Amino acid sequence: DSGANITEFAVGGMDVHIFKEVYESSNVSFILSHMMYCRDVLMLKKGQRAVISNGRIIGPLEDDEVFNQDDFHLLENLILKTSGKKIKEQIQLLSVEEDHVSDLVMKVDALLSAQPKGEDRKST
């Protein structure tokens, strides 16, 4: 029993050749670390799937549930309409190429959402 073909995990826009090459190489420690993170931190069971975007966890997904390119686009729009809108305005002031704005907004949002939230000042 050889298991699933790794190319079955390919998603749109992914370089499947490079992914398969890295997976089949002897250095798969990053995959093992992600597996342990999913198991120990996200509490996903073996075979369960989830989507993680900027600290937001969507899942676990049902076996027959599909999360496709349209869903990723919707997720990106949701982030842009919340905290991302303010970030996007500031990034556009920096004259960043339009092709890179979306990726940069997502990265900045991820960094900001990873920061601990400050506590309100308490009056004594």
Side-chain angles (χ1 to χ4, degrees), residues 7-25:
T7 59
E8 292 178 20
F9 295 100
V11 294
M14 181 174 160
D15 189 328
V16 178
H17 175 72
I18 291 175
F19 178 70
K20 187 174 181 179
E21 195 174 280
V22 170
Y23 179 79
E24 291 174 347
S25 74

Side-chain angles (χ1 to χ4, degrees), residues 2-124:
S2 64
N5 181 343
I6 192 64
T7 59
E8 292 178 20
F9 295 100
V11 294
M14 181 174 160
D15 189 328
V16 178
H17 175 72
I18 291 175
F19 178 70
K20 187 174 181 179
E21 195 174 280
V22 170
Y23 179 79
E24 291 174 347
S25 74
S26 60
N27 185 10
V28 293
S29 61
F30 74 98
I31 292 178
L32 294 175
S33 66
H34 283 90
M35 185 233 8
M36 291 184 337
Y37 179 81
C38 289
R39 181 190 67 210
D40 300 340
V41 177
L42 301 178
M43 304 301 212
L44 293 173
K45 295 179 175 88
K46 188 175 183 176
Q48 283 186 313
R49 300 170 302 127
V51 174
I52 303 170
S53 176
N54 294 3
R56 295 164 179 86
I57 301 168
I58 300 159
L61 302 174
E62 298 294 327
D63 290 340
D64 60 344
E65 193 171 1
V66 176
F67 200 93
N68 60 26
Q69 189 171 356
D70 291 336
D71 296 313
F72 281 105
H73 185 69
L74 182 61
L75 178 59
E76 181 180 19
N77 285 336
L78 176 66
I79 291 169
L80 287 175
K81 285 187 168 104
T82 56
S83 59
K85 186 175 182 181
K86 292 178 185 176
I87 296 168
K88 183 177 180 181
E89 290 170 359
Q90 294 302 311
I91 289 173
Q92 287 175 325
L93 292 175
L94 300 173
S95 300
V96 174
E97 285 184 45
E98 192 62 35
D99 291 349
H100 300 291
V101 170
S102 180
D103 287 342
L104 192 52
V105 168
M106 298 297 271
K107 289 176 183 176
V108 171
D109 183 59
L111 288 171
L112 293 175
S113 64
Q115 296 297 312
K117 306 291 185 255
E119 291 186 29
D120 291 336
R121 181 180 290 193
K122 297 178 184 174
S123 58
T124 55

